[in-house]
Amino acid sequence: MTVVVMMVVMLRHCNGLNMNYYIMSCPMTEFIIKNSVNSALRAYQTLAAGLIRMHFHDCFIEGCDASVLLDSTDDNTAEKDSPANLSLRGYKVIDDAKQLENMCPGVVSCADIVAMAARDAVFFAGGPVYDIPKGRKDGTRSKIEDTRNLPSPFFNSSELIKMFGQKGFTAPEMVALSGGHTLGVARCSAFKNRLKNFDSTNDVDPSMDTQFMKTLAKTCNAGDDAEQPFDSTRNMFDNAYYNMLQRKSELLTSDQTLMADPKTRPIVNGYAMNQAMFFFDFQRAMVKMGQLDVKETGQVHQNCHKIN
Ligand SMILES: *[C@@H]1O[C@H](CO)[C@@H](O)[C@H](O)[C@H]1NC(C)=O
Ligand SMILES: *[C@@H]1O[C@H](CO)[C@@H](O)[C@H](O)[C@H]1NC(C)=O
């Protein structure tokens, strides 16, 4: 028992992160970030999805190092300016939380702010409350071409399992993280591929409910930027996403494939039936994601938009 506990403690610390990282150096950290997130979300509920997506996008490319926040410069086009950034929102929330710089200059990294803001957004929207280890440093590389390493909305289950597997995630963890789609919307450009031939009786997408397909076709009449919520409770963090999957009524190929594939279907059914289990697995997967390729040494950007 003691050995197991010690190993867990060692694992926690081997990447330089820990739960109490700022407790001495900047004790107001958690409070200030939560305040920034809460006041932004009270005004714009839909930003919760943006903050979660921002953390995911940050961690998947170059590790959780705030590279997603860096602006392009004369000689570098940053991740931010990739078409994959389209749904990235919430930069202002991070800038607002960065007022921490006035209290504790050079202490709290932008990468940690992004991670804590995502965690606080989950909670604000009604999801699980959880603590995350802190101590990430900010990176200096942010290149548009790196964003091709993001999972695509057109991926099938095997491709998702492979890409998340390369980052160390199991298939169940991938399915739990996909549950982040309980919040937010997708644009037509990300799912109209599934609507081809929706008028033809012979050639419809067999993984999509016919009635739902008609709804989406209607939405998409307004153009590629038209938005459709992932589930009926778009601002509430719950397990409705998995119920939508069961009803063949999710938006993206990369969503519905989780129900179609017999390897991931039991996990979907489990989360659809048991929200507490989804919450538990989701927060564990988020804590794990938040430690992807973190940098122990490096900068704390004074301004999250640029390197020092
Ligand atoms: C996202 O990228 C596009 C170019 O593809 C750019 O015009 C836009 O300003 C970027 N959005 C943000 C928020 O950086
Ligand atoms: C998933 O996509 C890959 C690449 O396009 C393809 O080779 C594979 O057959 C697909 N798998 C399924 C189950 O459709």
Side-chain angles (χ1 to χ4, degrees):
M1 185 61 186
T2 318
V3 176
V4 172
V5 170
M6 277 178 59
M7 278 176 59
V8 169
V9 170
M10 279 165 60
L11 280 174
R12 275 271 153 74
H13 289 270
C14 71
N15 57 15
L17 303 190
N18 73 70
M19 298 293 183
N20 302 319
Y21 193 83
Y22 295 116
I23 210 147
M24 302 302 283
S25 55
C26 197
M28 294 290 273
T29 299
E30 299 265 358
F31 176 79
I32 298 288
I33 294 172
K34 190 169 295 270
N35 251 359
S36 298
V37 170
N38 286 359
S39 57
L41 293 186
R42 258 182 248 120
Y44 307 101
Q45 271 186 294
T46 61
L47 277 180
L51 290 170
I52 296 167
R53 184 172 164 75
M54 180 184 283
H55 181 40
F56 169 76
H57 184 123
D58 184 29
C59 293
F60 252 64
I61 299 159
E62 275 291 302
C64 314
D65 67 347
S67 56
V68 68
L69 302 178
L70 292 172
D71 288 340
S72 293
T73 57
D74 287 344
D75 50 10
N76 182 55
T77 308
E79 288 169 26
K80 219 183 220 183
D81 286 322
S82 151
N85 75 0
L86 277 174
S87 45
L88 285 182
R89 299 164 62 227
Y91 294 106
K92 278 216 188 84
V93 184
I94 308 299
D95 290 338
D96 185 52
K98 193 57 175 167
Q99 62 181 276
L100 280 163
E101 205 59 26
N102 303 327
M103 276 170 227
C104 338
V107 174
V108 184
S109 69
C110 299
D112 276 345
I113 295 177
V114 170
M116 284 183 265
R119 187 260 331 253
D120 293 342
V122 168
F123 179 63
F124 184 93
V129 58
Y130 55 97
D131 200 3
I132 57 169
K134 292 151 287 264
R136 298 163 189 78
K137 295 292 184 246
D138 297 330
T140 51
R141 176 193 169 98
S142 179
K143 297 207 170 287
I144 186 169
E145 59 266 26
D146 293 343
T147 56
R148 63 172 168 245
N149 297 324
L150 284 171
S152 146
F154 311 118
F155 273 5
N156 65 30
S157 173
S158 326
E159 292 169 295
L160 290 169
I161 290 173
K162 185 164 168 233
M163 182 170 267
F164 279 79
Q166 285 163 351
K167 300 283 181 191
F169 292 107
T170 63
E173 285 168 340
M174 181 271 288
V175 176
L177 287 173
S178 299
H181 282 173
T182 176
L183 300 176
V185 299
R187 291 203 171 96
C188 245
S189 50
F191 56 78
K192 69 174 181 187
N193 62 308
R194 300 179 65 210
L195 303 178
K196 268 184 219 139
N197 307 316
F198 74 95
D199 274 337
S200 146
T201 42
N202 308 322
D203 199 14
V204 293
D205 182 338
S207 69
M208 190 184 277
D209 175 78
T210 318
Q211 210 50 46
F212 184 63
M213 190 174 301
K214 286 180 187 153
T215 307
L216 293 192
K218 218 169 175 181
T219 301
C220 290
N221 279 339
D224 275 6
D225 286 339
E227 293 176 342
Q228 178 81 23
F230 281 107
D231 69 25
S232 45
T233 54
R234 60 179 281 186
N235 292 321
M236 200 186 292
F237 196 100
D238 56 19
N239 66 342
Y241 167 81
Y242 298 101
N243 297 124
M244 297 292 274
L245 288 175
Q246 287 182 319
R247 283 187 247 124
K248 298 186 172 186
S249 300
E250 249 325 324
L251 298 180
L252 309 178
T253 303
S254 60
D255 294 315
Q256 200 59 57
T257 186
L258 303 176
M259 187 66 195
D261 183 349
K263 282 199 291 290
T264 46
R265 188 186 307 141
I267 311 162
V268 169
N269 287 333
Y271 292 156
M273 205 162 57
N274 187 340
Q275 178 167 279
M277 184 167 82
F278 163 53
F279 279 14
F280 185 76
D281 289 355
F282 179 82
Q283 54 98 357
R284 292 226 311 195
M286 285 293 276
V287 169
K288 180 168 173 176
M289 185 183 85
Q291 299 183 67
L292 275 179
D293 301 322
V294 293
K295 297 173 174 63
E296 291 172 54
T297 56
Q299 303 189 342
V300 167
H301 294 158
Q302 281 162 3
N303 171 340
C304 294
H305 292 261
K306 46 189 189 187
I307 57 181
N308 295 344

